[in-house]
Amino acid sequence: MCVKLTAMKKKLSVLFVLLLGITLYAQSADVITEMLDSKQVTFGQVCYIAAVQKNLVKETASYEDAVQVLFENGIIPNSEDAQAPAPLVDIAYIYSQLWPVEGGLMFRLTKGSPRYAFRQFQSDGILSRTYEPSDFVSGAKALSIYTACVKKYSDFDMKSVSMESEE
């Protein structure tokens, strides 16, 4: 039983890394590791993920560069401190800018405002209803939210990934 659980964990870890690798392109493992180790994800880390995905910065860019380029491109309304913890409302808003999120009436009327991006993510099952917009999450949770968005809003097909052992 323990061997099966270890094998399953290994497969899920490989799938998670593969999914991140596909969606985040060839990002530095150091950035992903730093995010996974963060107790509170920073605004810069979230902006970095978004800026790299949108091909606005190279993977060698700093968090400060990522924040600035998202601000200059109108993806975020204010240039924030890259080292400041990012509340869930900002994470949802930034991530909602990465994919075509249809959303409900208020999401569309407000052109995806942070409040309604957060509510839409709750409605779509990306975020639990127990979360508040002002909550802070770990880097691992921010990456998990990103992965859920990829699954929900992109054309990435999980069924095309083989989970069979190559032993």
Side-chain angles (χ1 to χ4, degrees):
M1 178 83 169
C2 186
V3 174
K4 285 184 180 183
L5 285 176
T6 303
M8 181 61 97
K9 284 182 184 179
K10 184 177 178 182
K11 287 180 182 181
L12 288 175
S13 295
V14 169
L15 178 62
F16 182 73
V17 170
L18 176 66
L19 182 59
L20 281 176
I22 289 169
T23 59
L24 299 178
Y25 307 106
Q27 283 189 37
S28 166
D30 293 339
V31 171
I32 300 299
T33 300
E34 184 178 328
M35 279 187 77
L36 287 170
D37 291 340
S38 297
K39 291 186 183 193
Q40 288 186 335
V41 71
T42 66
F43 201 76
Q45 291 169 328
V46 173
C47 287
Y48 178 86
I49 296 286
V52 168
Q53 178 179 320
K54 292 189 83 58
N55 292 317
L56 297 173
V57 298
K58 294 183 179 185
E59 66 182 62
T60 56
S62 69
Y63 295 145
E64 290 79 11
D65 292 340
V67 171
Q68 190 60 36
V69 77
L70 290 186
F71 174 67
E72 289 170 359
N73 283 276
I75 295 172
I76 56 174
N78 301 312
S79 182
E80 302 283 343
D81 176 11
Q83 300 306 316
L88 269 175
V89 69
D90 289 339
I91 296 169
Y93 177 72
I94 292 168
Y95 287 177
S96 74
Q97 304 296 305
L98 301 179
W99 298 278
V101 178
E102 289 185 28
L105 178 64
M106 292 306 293
F107 180 82
R108 291 190 308 267
L109 285 176
T110 63
K111 298 182 172 122
S113 74
R115 172 185 169 82
Y116 290 106
F118 177 84
R119 296 289 179 222
Q120 188 62 47
F121 276 22
Q122 286 182 317
S123 177
D124 289 344
I126 303 294
L127 294 174
S128 166
R129 297 236 183 240
T130 61
Y131 282 122
E132 294 293 328
S134 60
D135 287 348
F136 296 102
V137 295
S138 69
K141 182 62 180 173
L143 286 171
S144 174
I145 294 167
Y146 179 88
T147 303
C149 288
V150 168
K151 184 178 176 186
K152 178 75 177 174
Y153 305 121
S154 79
D155 58 359
F156 180 77
D157 183 13
M158 291 291 290
K159 293 176 185 162
S160 67
V161 178
S162 174
M163 292 297 288
E164 295 300 315
S165 176
E166 295 182 18
E167 297 176 288

